[in-house]
Amino acid sequence: MIRFDRASAADDASTSAHSRHVALWSLAVAASLVIGPRGPLYWDSLGYVEQALTGRVGGLLLGRPLFVLASHLAARVALALGASPWSLEALLRNLWLGVAALAAPLAATLARRVGLTPRAALLAGLLVALSPAGAHTRDAVLTDGPATAMVLLALAVRAGSTPSPALGALAAGALVGVAFGLREQAAIHLATALLVPVAGLPRRSWRDAALLAAGFALVAAIVLALAWSTNPDYPATIARWARGMAAERREARPPGESLRRYALWLVALSPVALVATVAWWSRRRDAWWPLVVPATLGLAALSRYQDIAFSPRYLLTEFVVATTLPAAAWLDRALPRRAAQLAWIIPSLVLLLVGGRWLDARQRPLRALVAALPDDLRAVDPGALIVTGQPCAAVRLDARVARAFPAAWGAAPPRWSTLCPGWSWPADPAARLAAALEHGSAVVLDLRRAAWMDGPQQRRRAEVEAFARAHAGDPRVISWRDAPTPPR
């Protein structure tokens, strides 16, 4: 009878934990649906969808090889089952949203395994699920959310009590290798995994480090070898990335812009987690405090990342690992009553709803441009040079779909070339456009305001506008402009 009661209690506890994890995952998905772009607005997302069609790995550091190859496999399965090639972005977006949302229950699992209370573990999961910038990032074909989930899974496996501690260390290293295949900077969390306290076991630093490294090296080597075997020019893509980053570093940028945006991104990721973590560091700390040090150092180092002004998503993995456990632990102690602990959820939900409406209004014009782009492009000469801003990656994707699926395109297969803001933008764009005209190509200039983001893209738009004015009346130069605002 006693055994039965204990078994029942264990079963009830397991069922309750499972229900909480499902609820946290569902809340993370719902938050992303509320605040997310619900369309391909991130530049990299469109590139990843194109890579999913082709299986081509490369373009960003080591090319996020596991993410690209997994997306390619998913795309092939979807197309074989009859999916339209125009629906692939939405299919991949929802697939990776499901993976990225696992970060919320995994944060709760990690919190329990390092010794936090059940209430603190719930808080940890809620902090991840309700992160405004995190929720926005999850709703896109991007690597940051899935990599965060895999890092948390690796740390939770490492912290769990297993029959074989050696096997647990090896598995944790392998999972960091998976995260590395999704986003290369995740490799720093090998150090985090080494510092995770393992339940009921003494630390064996040298053995643990060797096993973690072995698991990581095995998976990373397999992923890189697979990328190289399917893309013979894979090393050349890494060299091109290095040259592009070097050219980008030479660009003049407004002083202080990156640091201002970095501070804003920390708040956008979670003002509650940020404030509570600062309070945790300034007061009492827990025995597991070393495990957040590598991520904290990585988060600080990213303030110097040259593209940090563009998006908070670059900080996501480090922010979650550096802040979630400290913030949950501090909130659990500082707000002992459950009602007080969960009170911050109300302003967080309001922030998601208000932020979702504001972002939707802000992003709607660009979303409409991208959605209408296939129809706009069908009227363009197949050999034209197309110049646009943020939709440039969408032009490339549409060209790829049109060539690979001519029946779905319904027009002559395009041979467009593109001039995009970024690494490939020439020092003298007017000369590049004039050369295209001399070679008999039509030039399409997208001058619609929504097509160009703030900052460097606006400077590019001004250069394109100057060329359009200089060639006004030339029938070979086609300008896409905003419709005139009707008088009131």
Side-chain angles (χ1 to χ4, degrees):
M1 188 69 178
I2 295 176
R3 286 181 184 176
F4 177 79
D5 289 343
R6 287 179 178 174
S8 297
D11 289 343
D12 289 345
S14 176
T15 301
S16 178
H18 177 72
S19 299
R20 283 195 299 271
H21 291 166
V22 171
L24 286 169
W25 180 86
S26 301
L27 184 61
V29 170
S32 293
L33 297 180
V34 167
I35 202 172
R38 291 282 83 195
L41 298 188
Y42 284 98
W43 181 290
D44 290 350
S45 290
L46 293 157
Y48 287 134
V49 177
E50 183 182 354
Q51 289 176 289
L53 274 171
T54 63
R56 294 278 301 157
V57 176
L60 296 172
L61 193 52
L62 300 181
R64 296 21 171 181
L66 185 58
F67 185 84
V68 170
L69 294 173
S71 296
H72 179 55
L73 177 61
R76 292 187 65 175
V77 170
L79 291 170
L81 293 175
S84 165
W86 301 107
S87 70
L88 282 182
E89 186 278 333
L91 289 170
L92 291 172
R93 174 166 25 98
N94 290 306
L95 169 67
W96 288 114
L97 168 58
V99 176
L102 292 171
L106 286 168
T109 298
L110 176 61
R112 283 296 292 139
R113 290 186 176 183
V114 300
L116 271 66
T117 67
R119 289 184 301 180
L122 177 61
L123 289 168
L126 289 171
L127 286 168
V128 173
L130 298 177
S131 162
H136 194 273
T137 299
R138 289 192 296 262
D139 187 41
V141 186
L142 291 172
T143 63
D144 313 81
T148 301
M150 287 301 103
V151 166
L152 290 172
L153 177 58
L155 301 181
V157 167
R158 171 76 174 136
S161 58
T162 60
S164 172
L167 186 60
L170 194 66
L175 287 167
V176 176
V178 171
F180 165 82
L182 298 171
R183 190 167 185 82
E184 294 85 350
Q185 73 189 56
I188 73 165
H189 295 292
L190 272 179
T192 308
L194 183 63
L195 296 171
V196 170
V198 181
L201 294 172
R203 189 178 300 280
R204 295 181 173 86
S205 298
W206 289 108
R207 186 206 68 177
D208 291 352
L211 290 169
L212 285 165
F216 173 84
L218 177 63
V219 172
I222 291 172
V223 169
L224 294 176
L226 187 58
W228 197 348
S229 68
T230 54
N231 296 268
D233 65 337
Y234 180 53
T237 67
I238 302 169
R240 284 197 296 270
W241 170 84
R243 289 193 298 270
M245 292 292 281
E248 193 178 73
R249 279 193 293 271
R250 292 192 290 269
E251 282 191 7
R253 301 194 180 182
E257 179 190 32
S258 292
L259 281 177
R260 287 194 298 272
R261 292 289 183 92
Y262 173 77
L264 174 64
W265 299 153
L266 293 177
V267 175
L269 280 161
S270 177
V272 175
L274 184 63
V275 171
T277 298
V278 171
W280 179 84
W281 275 108
S282 64
R283 296 181 183 180
R284 171 183 163 190
R285 294 190 290 273
D286 298 88
W288 42 263
W289 71 268
L291 80 86
V292 302
V293 170
T296 303
L297 295 176
L299 188 63
L302 282 167
S303 66
R304 305 292 299 168
Y305 178 50
Q306 67 190 53
D307 287 339
I308 198 59
F310 293 143
S311 177
R313 67 185 181 86
Y314 303 124
L315 303 172
L316 181 61
T317 303
E318 277 59 60
F319 185 89
V320 167
V321 178
T323 67
T324 302
L325 297 186
W330 185 85
L331 288 169
D332 189 39
R333 287 195 289 263
L335 305 172
R337 294 189 178 184
R338 181 181 290 272
Q341 285 180 350
L342 301 182
W344 62 268
I345 294 178
I346 297 175
S348 296
L349 292 174
V350 171
L351 180 62
L352 282 169
L353 292 170
V354 173
R357 291 183 65 85
W358 179 77
L359 285 171
D360 179 67
R362 184 179 175 86
Q363 296 164 351
R364 192 181 301 127
L366 177 57
R367 195 165 57 236
L369 291 189
V370 173
L373 198 57
D375 290 335
D376 294 336
L377 291 172
R378 285 187 178 92
V380 171
D381 183 271
L385 169 63
I386 300 173
V387 187
T388 185
Q390 194 67 11
C392 210
V395 175
R396 294 172 174 171
L397 174 61
D398 291 345
R400 178 73 61 182
V401 173
R403 289 193 294 268
F405 303 92
W409 180 243
R415 307 180 309 278
W416 305 312
S417 55
T418 56
L419 186 59
C420 300
W423 299 343
S424 61
W425 192 263
D428 188 353
R432 170 75 176 84
L433 297 175
L437 292 175
E438 290 176 7
H439 284 85
S441 297
V443 173
V444 178
L445 308 177
D446 187 353
L447 295 168
R448 296 170 294 184
R449 286 185 295 273
W452 301 83
M453 307 294 282
D454 294 338
Q457 286 194 18
Q458 286 299 322
R459 295 194 289 273
R460 308 301 190 220
R461 181 177 183 270
E463 294 174 321
V464 176
E465 180 70 62
F467 184 86
R469 287 196 302 269
H471 291 77
D474 188 334
R476 299 170 300 170
V477 179
I478 302 163
S479 296
W480 290 347
R481 296 183 179 274
D482 294 309
T485 303
R488 295 183 179 180

